[in-house]
Amino acid sequence: MRALNGYDCIYEHIYHVPTVKVRSYSLEEIKEKHLDFFIPHTILRIRSRLRKKRKPLTEEELTGFLQEIILILEEELQDGYITEKEYSNYSVIKLPSQIMDEREAELKVQMDEMEKRIVEKDRQLASIEAENRRLRELVSRFGLKE
């Protein structure tokens, strides 16, 4: 390195970069310190409990864990620590009940569409039946055979 006055200079900079053990942070600590980027790692952390044969993670524990994550993210969004886009990036973390609600809403839309088609078909059928009756009356009035 060459200094501004033309002399050679040697500078040494020592940086201390702390290491962070993601596994050591609880959801409460993540929430308190706004370390939202650790949340996906906490989900990976419970993966092993899902596969255990002895004392596996129950559905209630998993649902509670995911509810806690969702509450943290909603608070972070509300308090301005994350943006709408960042919040939506975490949308893969959904409770089974939310998934069922969304599926139920989709099914309702599909059922409404089917009902509209049935009503339209019923109207068309009623129109065809009315035309059929009118033609039969004409046939019988003029004494024609069907």
Side-chain angles (χ1 to χ4, degrees):
M1 177 181 283
R2 181 145 323 260
L4 291 177
N5 61 7
Y7 296 104
D8 288 333
C9 297
I10 297 175
Y11 292 102
E12 184 177 318
H13 295 282
I14 298 174
Y15 295 97
H16 294 282
V17 180
T19 57
V20 178
K21 292 185 179 181
V22 177
R23 288 183 176 260
S24 65
Y25 283 87
S26 68
L27 284 178
E28 189 61 35
E29 290 172 309
I30 289 171
K31 177 182 174 184
E32 287 172 6
K33 297 177 181 181
H34 311 291
L35 300 170
D36 304 317
F37 51 91
F38 284 1
I39 288 175
H41 299 285
T42 62
I43 295 169
L44 293 174
R45 190 168 56 196
I46 65 164
R47 185 174 55 184
S48 64
R49 284 223 31 224
L50 291 171
R51 295 184 183 140
K52 282 187 177 179
K53 292 185 179 178
R54 291 183 67 191
K55 284 194 165 187
L57 192 68
T58 66
E59 187 175 330
E60 292 82 23
E61 289 175 312
L62 179 60
T63 301
F65 179 77
L66 292 176
Q67 282 176 332
E68 193 172 347
I69 289 174
I70 290 168
L71 288 174
I72 290 170
L73 292 172
E74 287 174 350
E75 286 180 23
E76 295 291 283
L77 175 65
Q78 185 179 7
D79 295 343
Y81 290 104
I82 60 174
T83 64
E84 265 308 319
K85 179 155 177 44
E86 290 168 326
Y87 178 79
S88 67
N89 287 341
Y90 287 105
S91 67
V92 296
I93 305 168
K94 292 184 180 179
L95 298 174
S97 61
Q98 289 175 311
I99 294 168
M100 291 304 292
D101 289 345
E102 290 172 5
R103 183 68 181 133
E104 190 175 303
E106 289 173 18
L107 289 173
K108 185 177 179 347
V109 168
Q110 291 174 1
M111 292 294 287
D112 289 345
E113 287 298 316
M114 287 171 48
E115 189 175 322
K116 286 177 187 177
R117 283 185 263 165
I118 289 171
V119 167
E120 179 60 32
K121 293 291 182 190
D122 285 346
R123 192 171 345 126
Q124 290 173 355
L125 183 59
S127 175
I128 290 169
E129 287 173 347
E131 180 67 15
N132 202 5
R133 278 192 303 275
R134 187 184 71 77
L135 290 172
R136 284 190 180 156
E137 286 175 16
L138 283 174
V139 166
S140 67
R141 189 182 317 164
F142 291 110
L144 301 172
K145 293 185 180 181
E146 292 185 32

